[in-house]
Amino acid sequence: MTQICENCKHYIQHYVRHGRGYIIVYCGHCRYPRLKHRKPDTPACAHYKQKEEVPL
């Protein structure tokens, strides 16, 4: 996998309410070591940790 924010375990995706559900927006934030605004395709920082895959 590519080392971008979207694939990092510290990245939190943002959503907006749409009707009775939610849709993904093109932004989020990193929570480690401090809060930073990030886009999903931003190159990862030095604190990158691969997100664990959840088995189906």
Side-chain angles (χ1 to χ4, degrees):
M1 293 202 135
T2 311
Q3 288 193 355
I4 56 175
C5 289
E6 183 177 38
N7 298 330
C8 181
K9 76 180 224 175
H10 304 298
Y11 177 74
I12 304 296
Q13 179 67 52
H14 290 182
Y15 297 84
V16 293
R17 188 180 299 237
H18 182 69
R20 295 177 61 184
Y22 293 90
I23 57 173
I24 295 174
V25 294
Y26 184 66
C27 68
H29 68 271
C30 179
R31 60 185 176 182
Y32 185 82
R34 61 182 177 18
L35 199 62
K36 305 174 290 276
H37 294 286
R38 296 284 188 247
K39 303 254 188 231
D41 59 353
T42 302
C45 67
H47 303 289
Y48 178 83
K49 297 274 189 199
Q50 181 65 41
K51 189 181 290 187
E52 295 178 14
E53 296 293 324
V54 178
L56 297 176

